[in-house]
């Protein structure tokens, strides 16, 4: 069953997503970063080129010839494309959901990360996603990265490959 992790109190959700994707990649996990729209996907793409400053997180979009060997895939949600997206992502390790609701493909992944910002509207939408997962019996872990003092809001929580 999919493990759900909520990272709460993130000062910058997209930067936090990139930090977590980098940690996942360092643990030999493959990542799908699912943005809410094309603009957000473009911002994530740009952040991955520039963060961290001393390294590079290899990434591409679905349909790229290197999608099968690239550890991070960045895409965005479109009304007609989520099921097609499920077919175009060649792994099931980790989904970083940057959408406001739960994507229909979440359960095919071993792990889902939800990042919750400081905005009241974002926190309310996260509560709805939390209830959705909880009501369906998914195990949920919460990580308050605002209190942990982690660099750039990443917290101290490690991303690691877990068998199960």
């Amino acid at each position: 069953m999919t493990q759900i992790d909520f990272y709460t109190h993130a000062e910058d959700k997209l930067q936090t997503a990139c930090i977590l994707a980098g940690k996942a990649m360092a643990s030999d996990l493959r990542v799908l970063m699912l943005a809410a729209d094309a603009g957000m996907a473009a911002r994530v793409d740009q952040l991955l080129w520039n963060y961290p400053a001393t390294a590079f997180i290899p990434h591409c979009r679905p349909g790229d010839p290197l999608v099968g060997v690239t550890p991070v895939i960045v895409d965005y949600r479109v009304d007609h494309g989520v099921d097609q997206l499920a077919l175009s992502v060649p792994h099931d390790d980790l989904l970083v959901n940057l959408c406001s609701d739960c994507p229909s493909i979440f359960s095919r992944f071993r792990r889902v990360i939800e990042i919750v910002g400081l905005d009241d509207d974002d926190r309310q939408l996260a509560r709805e996603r939390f209830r959705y997962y909880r009501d369906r019996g998914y195990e949920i872990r919460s990580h308050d990265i605002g209190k942990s003092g982690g660099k750039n809001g990443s917290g101290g929580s490690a991303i690691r490959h877990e068998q199960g």
Side-chain angles (χ1 to χ4, degrees):
M1 181 173 263
T2 302
Q3 167 66 50
I4 312 293
D5 287 279
F6 276 78
Y7 287 80
T8 62
H9 300 101
E11 289 183 29
D12 184 327
K13 287 178 60 169
L14 299 185
Q15 185 176 18
T16 299
C18 292
I19 291 167
L20 293 173
K23 287 181 178 186
M25 185 188 79
S27 295
D28 294 324
L29 295 175
R30 299 192 59 207
V31 181
L32 169 62
M33 298 180 75
L34 187 60
D37 55 44
M40 181 186 286
R43 289 190 304 276
V44 169
D45 178 63
Q46 188 61 42
L47 281 170
L48 289 170
W49 278 104
N50 298 312
Y51 189 87
T54 59
F56 167 68
I57 298 175
H59 64 283
C60 68
R61 298 285 184 98
D64 188 289
L66 296 175
V67 76
V69 295
T70 304
V72 178
I73 299 168
V74 178
D75 204 8
Y76 62 94
R77 184 155 185 186
V78 292
D79 291 338
H80 62 281
V82 173
D83 293 329
Q84 187 63 35
L85 174 63
L87 299 173
S88 66
V89 176
H91 69 80
D92 63 359
D93 288 344
L94 175 63
L95 168 66
V96 177
N97 182 31
L98 297 169
C99 301
S100 60
D101 61 352
C102 302
S104 62
I105 63 168
F106 82 89
S107 63
R108 74 167 276 222
F109 290 87
R110 287 184 262 181
R111 186 168 177 200
V112 173
I113 288 180
E114 296 278 357
I115 301 169
V116 185
L118 302 173
D119 176 79
D120 286 338
D121 291 337
D122 188 51
R123 290 171 45 189
Q124 180 57 41
L125 290 167
R127 286 184 192 105
E128 291 172 17
R129 293 192 307 274
F130 187 97
R131 280 190 293 272
Y132 180 89
Y133 295 128
R134 183 197 62 207
D135 292 349
R136 285 154 181 80
Y138 288 91
E139 179 185 347
I140 301 172
R141 294 184 295 201
S142 294
H143 312 273
D144 186 344
I145 59 177
K147 293 181 181 177
S148 67
K151 183 179 177 184
N152 297 322
S154 64
S157 301
I159 303 289
R160 62 187 174 282
H161 183 58
E162 297 178 10
Q163 300 296 325

